[in-house]
Amino acid sequence: MSRKSRRNRGLNRTAQQASALPKPETNASVPRSGGQLIATAQNDITIPFYSDILVPQDPTIKEKGPHKGLKLYDEVMQDGRAKATLSKRYSKITRREWLVKAASEDDRDVKAKEGIEAILDALPFDAICKDLAKAILKGVAISEIVWGRNEDGLVVPVQIKSHDPMRFAFDKDWNPRLLTPSNSIEGEAVPKRKFITHRFGAEGNNPYGLGLGSVLFWHVLFKREGVGFWMKFLDKFAAPIPFGKFAVGTPDNEQKKLLNSLIAMVQQGALVAPIGTEVSFLEAARSGNASYEEWCRFWDEQTSEVVLGSTLSTSVKGQGSRAAAQTHADETDSIVDDDCDQLSDTLNETLLRWITELNWPGAKPPTVWRPRPRNESEEEDQKKKTAERRQSDIRSLDAARRQGFEPKNLQEWLSSVFDAEMIPVEVTASMDDQQSAFADDAEGPVAHLIDPLEDLAGPQQQTWFERIRERLAGVASFGEASKVLLDLSGQLEIDPMGRILGDAIALSEITGRSDIIDETGGYPSKDVGSKKKDQNPVSFAEVGPFDEALDFHRQKVRLSTRTWSDLLHHGHDRAFVVAGAQKDALLEDFQQAIDDAIAKGMPLKGWLDKDDSYHPGFIDRFDEIVKRHGWDYNGGSNWRARVIYETNLKTAYAAGRYKQMTDPATLKAFPYWQYKHAWERIPLHPREEHEAWDGLILRADDPWWQTYYPPNGWKCGCGVRPVSRAKLKRIGKETPDTAPSIQHVRRSDPGTGEEIDYPAGVDMGWAYAPGRTWADGTIPRELQRSNPKQLTLPHIDPLPQMSAIARPVQAEVLPKGLDDADYVSAFLSEFGADESEPVLFRDKAGQVLVIGEELFKRRDGSIKLNSSRSVQLLRLAEALKDPDEIWVDWEWHSHLKKWVLKRRYLRASPNLAGLSVFEWGKDGWSGTTIYNAETGRKRKPNLNQINTWRRGALLFRRAISADEN
């Protein structure tokens, strides 16, 4: 309900209460002078009053622009922030729908309401309102009405034109007077019903109002004046001051020469002085931070706060919660409520009243107002809740009747339920009514599929009908018709309809399974009926194997990591990692345990069945795996096991759901997704942002989901429910919601320690949609094209020769005669690895590689080193760390009968032609070889051979400086 409606209802209630008051026993009289205004402009000692014309009382204009008047505030609109925030406030007014309300149900009042509604519809009413709303800046806005007659003979505004308020003055009764060249002091009186005057901040005896420009002018002024200060600051602190010293007794002319030389030095950067002249530099010392950007931001925030209420930047201090954003929106809407009410009051007292008096004498003028849109939504929600309550009461009545009971006075009971007098009527059910009872189960679990199925099957059915009509067109008898239909039945194509129905049945099965998973949160507990606070997730056991989740888990490759931050976000879509687990055998056991949890329903904790037989859980498997491998990990056993279990099951479930819900057939039936807070379980300490997103409905392809598709943190129990168009309407929405803006907070990157902007409301490492890139087939980054031949990218510019970019490597040559193991160990130690413990290394293109002894092993396990390559291994390590180029390309392996993705690192140097090759496999990017290309007896670097490997997609090229060119 709008504020205007509440106010009108309050006035009506007040009138009813007044009519109910007891009548006075005596004839009470109005107090003496009680019906007159005593504090008038004539006796107001706070304003100068020299004639019948009142003068403006704006203190800012008096101080800074008495010669400019209101023109002073045009300068405010030259500031970007001020213009944007004011325009936003104006637009918020006109974005609201306007409604005309009749003064009463009297025929004359209703006719006036309908006529004025049509008149306003014919005008650019929103533009007229926006012009009048500019009083918010200047305090007063004036528009002139040009009257005429329409086709119905009504006197209507043909045009309403906005004027500069500086062209007007006001008399003691606040009537506008037009300032003209012949009368520029007191102005000339204007006709009645001609000018609409809208005021903002018009308090006391000030008809000129007091707009926001009186405050905003200073914000803009201070921000601009800060430029001069900042330039002086830069001049003082950015460059040192040259300081020349001369011997005592130096002639004045020599001193001046030195001074002029120093000045020239500052301007031109060079100085020539005689031997013995001493010149030094003084640097201005400063502490703290000084930023013109901060200065501007402060005044921009002050401007936003004045125009729109408190801002997120000033009130939230970087928290960025959606609850704070909603509070900010409510404050702004409250301000706009007042703007709309004030503007409506002006229009109701002028334009609407004048139109009514000119066209419908004796009728009470209607009113125009702009309600807040959300109020209408709340009313619809209330209606929906009322309807649901009534349906519940009727169902209760039906249940009571089945037991042989009903209310003593059924008619009275029904009247109380429906809040209206109910009377018996005779009901006759038609055939259509009987058929409709079975035609569409609006509340059924697959009701949303019926309309799309009708749309898909309609053309096929229409084809059948047309053929049947065509064949029956010349039939003369029922017998002949029967024969025609019998012959035709074998000619109609059934397969297309079968495929359509088959797809619908398959989609219904998916929907049913999804609903079961939705209801249980994907991890149903053994006590499915209860939803406990922070209940333990169990498994997929009670809904059967979740194929998509299992596929997602099994396609992952194992990668060793030292900390949880080694691999973040979509890297988990293709890699199975356990923080701190670096041995492949250990990772393999953990991956199999998670596989059992998904496929066989192994719960987190073990449990006893009714025969007291113990069934081990993941914690038991965790303890057994750790003991077998002797793994040293951080944290307690139960905590670490739960983190591994929950993280992998949650992301597998989320990825499987993502793939289900993004299937084209599913998206056609469920084009929207709804965020559900505490979907899996009710947390002990709910996150405010997640609670604020509860119930939010967005399009499935809204970019917001790419950041906030749940889970959104450790132990987050949020989920997503698919929503059909029919379901959206049943919820009470015609269109999906608008995605909340993504706020960012400063956080420390766990991998680099760098301060970064990270989305608010989500834990570090969770700001992505698990499984999105897997479902799209886009992981790893180089696998975005399914056809290997398409990966090669054309080069617009010719490639520079490797010899042209060659630069010496800095590493030394290893001595000859060492064991192969010593050479390999020297190479691995450059990356912090050894023969038994490989490490992850992030290359210049951002890809994670596994660095281990596999780089130097053949398929049979023997070391593949020769004397010339062995001594160059430190240089080859430098080439891998700091390559000239990184290329990726597909290579056909005939013995494997498949394409293999290769990643090549090239380094050209006068003393090395380095090539390192990695390939993508089940264990991620693993090295296959590393060597230096040589030629001739002197074993010189063969850069031409390196040049032949420059094919495929160029992922990285070292920047070449001008000196190197």
Side-chain angles (χ1 to χ4, degrees):
M1 182 181 295
S2 70
R3 301 171 72 238
K4 181 73 73 173
S5 295
R6 292 196 297 268
R7 184 169 63 185
N8 290 341
R9 179 171 292 185
L11 291 174
N12 293 336
R13 184 165 55 248
T14 302
Q16 295 171 0
Q17 293 171 350
S19 64
L21 292 175
K23 295 183 179 180
E25 297 180 0
T26 61
N27 293 328
S29 61
V30 176
R32 186 178 180 182
S33 302
Q36 299 176 351
L37 183 65
I38 296 177
T40 62
Q42 289 92 329
N43 57 25
D44 191 341
I45 63 172
T46 65
I47 61 175
F49 190 77
Y50 306 111
S51 66
D52 287 339
I53 302 303
L54 300 177
V55 297
Q57 299 300 306
D58 190 328
T60 300
I61 292 178
K62 289 181 178 180
E63 177 70 23
K64 299 297 292 185
H67 58 290
K68 291 185 176 181
L70 290 175
K71 284 289 184 185
L72 186 69
Y73 298 147
D74 290 338
E75 299 177 9
V76 172
M77 295 300 286
Q78 295 175 5
D79 178 77
R81 175 55 68 90
K83 182 175 181 179
T85 51
L86 283 166
S87 297
K88 183 177 181 180
R89 183 160 168 178
Y90 300 153
S91 297
K92 278 183 171 289
I93 296 174
T94 54
R95 276 204 298 265
R96 295 187 180 184
E97 294 292 332
W98 55 269
L99 300 173
V100 179
K101 181 180 179 181
S104 72
E105 295 180 2
D106 184 271
D107 290 342
R108 291 181 301 175
D109 297 345
V110 172
K111 187 175 182 180
K113 175 257 184 186
E114 294 173 350
I116 287 181
E117 202 167 38
I119 292 171
L120 298 184
D121 236 351
L123 290 170
F125 188 61
D126 283 342
I128 293 168
C129 290
K130 187 171 287 189
D131 286 336
L132 291 172
K134 292 178 181 178
I136 295 171
L137 175 65
K138 296 187 176 182
V140 63
I142 300 179
S143 293
E144 181 180 359
I145 304 174
V146 178
W147 296 99
R149 289 190 180 273
N150 64 7
E151 296 176 353
D152 298 327
L154 298 177
V155 179
V156 299
V158 177
Q159 180 185 10
I160 299 180
K161 178 176 175 56
S162 175
H163 289 301
D164 188 344
M166 285 190 65
R167 298 184 60 188
F168 297 86
F170 295 94
D171 62 21
K172 63 182 187 317
D173 295 321
W174 291 30
N175 295 316
R177 295 179 65 87
L178 180 63
L179 301 177
T180 63
S182 60
N183 195 343
S184 60
I185 303 299
E186 296 188 355
E188 299 177 359
V190 296
K192 292 183 178 181
R193 297 176 179 159
K194 185 65 174 171
F195 290 90
I196 303 174
T197 304
H198 180 54
R199 297 178 173 87
F200 182 88
E203 299 177 353
N205 293 309
N206 180 20
Y208 295 89
L210 187 62
L212 299 183
S214 182
V215 178
L216 299 180
F217 171 80
W218 301 102
H219 296 179
V220 175
L221 178 66
F222 293 155
K223 188 167 72 171
R224 289 176 179 171
E225 289 188 347
V227 176
F229 168 79
W230 182 244
M231 297 304 294
K232 293 179 182 178
F233 179 87
L234 290 178
D235 185 56
K236 182 177 181 181
F237 287 97
I241 301 173
F243 176 47
K245 301 178 182 179
F246 53 82
V248 177
T250 301
D252 291 343
N253 60 336
E254 294 297 329
Q255 295 180 27
K256 291 180 179 179
K257 285 182 180 180
L258 178 58
L259 178 61
N260 292 334
S261 298
L262 294 177
I263 294 173
M265 178 183 180
V266 173
Q267 297 175 349
Q268 301 177 7
L271 171 67
V272 176
I275 296 176
T277 301
E278 184 176 352
V279 177
S280 60
F281 293 91
L282 298 179
E283 293 194 15
R286 61 186 178 93
S287 61
N289 295 323
S291 170
Y292 178 60
E293 180 184 358
E294 293 177 3
W295 171 263
C296 290
R297 186 184 302 117
F298 171 78
W299 289 114
D300 284 347
E301 291 172 356
Q302 294 298 306
T303 296
S304 296
E305 190 161 357
V306 167
V307 178
L308 300 175
S310 62
T311 62
L312 285 179
S313 56
T314 56
S315 61
V316 181
K317 301 299 183 186
Q319 297 302 313
S321 71
R322 187 171 185 266
Q326 184 61 51
T327 301
H328 174 219
D330 287 341
E331 291 180 2
T332 302
D333 281 340
S334 296
I335 293 173
V336 177
D337 285 341
D338 292 335
D339 292 341
C340 290
D341 282 352
Q342 292 177 25
L343 183 57
S344 295
D345 287 340
T346 296
L347 292 169
N348 292 332
E349 291 301 320
T350 55
L351 183 63
L352 270 70
R353 178 175 295 278
W354 296 341
I355 295 175
T356 304
E357 292 172 350
L358 291 171
N359 295 286
W360 298 280
K364 296 177 183 177
T367 55
V368 64
W369 54 288
R370 294 178 183 266
R372 188 191 295 195
R374 195 178 64 178
N375 294 334
E376 294 179 346
S377 176
E378 290 174 356
E379 290 178 2
E380 291 300 321
D381 289 343
Q382 184 61 36
K383 291 178 182 178
K384 180 183 175 184
K385 291 177 181 178
T386 301
E388 290 174 351
R389 176 180 57 79
R390 288 171 178 167
Q391 290 176 1
S392 176
D393 290 341
I394 295 299
R395 286 194 294 269
S396 298
L397 174 63
D398 185 56
R401 280 180 162 175
R402 286 195 296 269
Q403 299 297 324
F405 299 93
E406 69 176 22
K408 183 177 181 180
N409 190 330
L410 181 60
Q411 184 175 339
E412 182 179 332
W413 182 85
L414 288 171
S415 298
S416 65
V417 169
F418 287 93
D419 195 21
E421 184 179 358
M422 306 292 285
I423 59 174
V425 296
E426 184 178 353
V427 179
T428 57
S430 65
M431 183 61 67
D432 291 340
D433 294 333
Q434 296 173 12
Q435 291 176 350
S436 64
F438 301 95
D440 183 16
D441 180 12
E443 297 300 325
V446 293
H448 56 275
L449 299 180
I450 295 175
D451 289 341
L453 181 59
E454 289 178 350
D455 294 338
L456 292 172
Q460 182 64 29
Q461 290 177 330
Q462 189 63 32
T463 301
W464 289 350
F465 295 152
E466 289 175 357
R467 292 193 62 185
I468 292 172
R469 289 192 188 99
E470 180 182 349
R471 295 291 300 274
L472 292 177
V475 171
S477 65
F478 286 109
E480 187 179 353
S482 176
K483 184 177 183 304
V484 168
L485 291 176
L486 185 62
D487 293 339
L488 188 60
S489 63
Q491 302 175 19
L492 297 177
E493 295 183 11
I494 304 297
D495 289 346
M497 181 63 76
R499 285 193 294 270
I500 293 172
L501 293 175
D503 291 343
I505 293 172
L507 188 56
S508 298
E509 186 274 333
I510 292 174
T511 302
R513 180 170 59 174
S514 298
D515 287 345
I516 293 174
I517 295 173
D518 279 347
E519 292 169 4
T520 61
Y523 313 120
S525 70
K526 294 298 177 182
D527 184 14
V528 177
S530 64
K531 198 176 197 183
K532 301 177 181 177
K533 290 222 172 195
D534 251 3
Q535 69 182 23
N536 291 331
V538 179
S539 68
F540 295 97
E542 297 186 26
V543 296
F546 190 174
D547 294 341
E548 289 82 0
L550 202 56
D551 292 343
F552 172 75
H553 175 72
R554 288 178 175 175
Q555 59 84 38
K556 289 187 175 186
V557 296
R558 297 186 295 273
L559 288 181
S560 61
T561 56
R562 292 189 175 184
T563 67
W564 69 274
S565 60
D566 283 348
L567 200 66
L568 294 175
H569 301 140
H570 284 298
H572 292 284
D573 282 354
R574 282 280 183 165
F576 178 80
V577 298
V578 174
Q582 297 178 319
K583 294 183 178 179
D584 186 69
L586 173 64
L587 285 167
E588 186 176 14
D589 285 348
F590 275 135
Q591 191 172 23
Q592 184 57 51
I594 294 296
D595 191 285
D596 291 342
I598 299 175
K600 301 177 182 179
M602 180 175 62
L604 175 63
K605 298 178 181 179
W607 56 286
L608 293 171
D609 60 20
K610 62 182 179 180
D611 298 325
D612 289 336
S613 297
Y614 183 73
H615 298 267
F618 183 81
I619 291 179
D620 302 300
R621 286 281 293 275
F622 175 84
D623 292 337
E624 182 256 322
I625 292 171
V626 168
K627 183 177 179 180
R628 184 168 66 250
H629 290 278
W631 184 42
D632 185 20
Y633 57 89
N634 296 324
S637 170
N638 288 357
W639 172 84
R640 192 64 192 273
R642 180 182 180 120
V643 168
I644 296 172
Y645 182 87
E646 277 201 8
T647 301
N648 283 279
L649 261 69
K650 280 174 181 278
T651 53
Y653 168 73
R657 289 284 287 145
Y658 190 96
K659 190 165 188 177
Q660 280 185 341
M661 295 190 301
T662 53
D663 182 90
T666 307
L667 278 175
K668 188 171 183 178
F670 296 91
Y672 312 111
W673 292 351
Q674 183 180 36
Y675 192 99
K676 300 296 291 182
H677 175 253
W679 188 236
E680 171 201 340
R681 63 185 176 211
I682 302 174
L684 292 174
H685 305 287
R687 297 168 171 90
E688 291 184 3
E689 294 90 345
H690 299 193
E691 286 184 308
W693 297 330
D694 187 37
L696 179 71
I697 299 179
L698 304 174
R699 288 190 59 84
D701 58 0
D702 195 297
W704 190 84
W705 293 114
Q706 296 181 20
T707 301
Y708 290 117
Y709 181 87
N712 284 313
W714 310 103
K715 299 183 72 174
C716 171
C718 298
V720 173
R721 176 192 287 276
V723 177
S724 65
R725 291 181 177 86
K727 179 70 172 178
L728 184 72
K729 292 183 178 179
R730 290 198 296 272
I731 292 174
K733 298 183 178 182
E734 291 296 326
T735 59
D737 300 319
T738 300
S741 60
I742 298 179
Q743 306 292 331
H744 291 82
V745 294
R746 298 294 290 177
R747 291 183 181 174
S748 177
D749 187 319
T752 65
E754 178 186 4
E755 288 294 315
I756 60 173
D757 289 328
Y758 202 78
V762 57
D763 293 349
M764 177 62 73
W766 292 88
Y768 76 110
R772 178 175 67 84
T773 50
W774 165 70
D776 295 341
T778 58
I779 290 297
R781 191 171 44 148
E782 296 83 351
L783 294 175
Q784 293 181 2
R785 297 167 180 82
S786 58
N787 183 354
K789 295 180 180 179
Q790 292 180 358
L791 187 63
T792 302
L793 302 178
H795 291 286
I796 299 175
D797 300 322
L799 290 172
Q801 290 296 318
M802 294 298 291
S803 58
I805 61 176
R807 58 195 176 106
V809 294
Q810 303 300 318
E812 300 293 333
V813 175
L814 289 170
K816 297 180 179 180
L818 300 179
D819 292 336
D820 288 345
D822 292 333
Y823 286 122
V824 172
S825 178
F827 175 90
L828 295 177
S829 64
E830 291 294 305
F831 298 89
D834 56 37
E835 291 81 358
S836 62
E837 200 167 24
V839 298
L840 295 181
F841 168 71
R842 192 176 297 277
D843 67 19
K844 291 287 187 179
Q847 182 62 58
V848 175
L849 309 174
V850 179
I851 303 294
E853 63 176 352
E854 297 297 322
L855 273 167
F856 307 97
K857 282 188 176 181
R858 299 185 180 90
R859 295 186 180 276
D860 60 2
S862 60
I863 300 294
K864 51 179 180 181
L865 282 177
N866 56 43
S867 57
S868 63
R869 179 165 61 150
S870 299
V871 295
Q872 297 284 358
L873 281 182
L874 290 184
R875 291 181 170 182
L876 290 170
E878 181 181 339
L880 181 58
K881 289 181 179 180
D882 187 22
D884 292 324
E885 293 175 346
I886 303 176
W887 293 81
V888 64
D889 192 17
W890 290 94
E891 183 175 287
W892 176 255
H893 283 206
S894 56
H895 64 286
L896 298 175
K897 298 188 182 311
K898 69 174 184 178
W899 290 92
V900 177
L901 192 66
K902 296 282 187 176
R903 194 179 185 94
R904 296 185 177 89
Y905 297 76
L906 309 180
R907 174 65 184 269
S909 170
N911 50 3
L912 183 77
L915 170 67
S916 303
V917 182
F918 288 71
E919 71 178 34
W920 178 262
K922 66 181 182 66
D923 293 319
W925 285 107
S926 301
T928 58
T929 190
I930 183 167
Y931 75 100
N932 57 312
E934 298 173 323
T935 186
R937 293 181 178 179
K938 295 184 178 181
R939 314 300 297 175
K940 292 184 178 180
N942 188 349
L943 299 184
N944 289 331
Q945 183 180 352
I946 295 295
N947 230 30
T948 62
W949 296 112
R950 302 168 77 190
R951 63 174 184 262
L954 178 63
L955 301 180
F956 168 82
R957 172 176 292 153
R958 178 178 59 83
I960 304 175
S961 65
D963 293 337
E964 290 175 327
N965 282 333

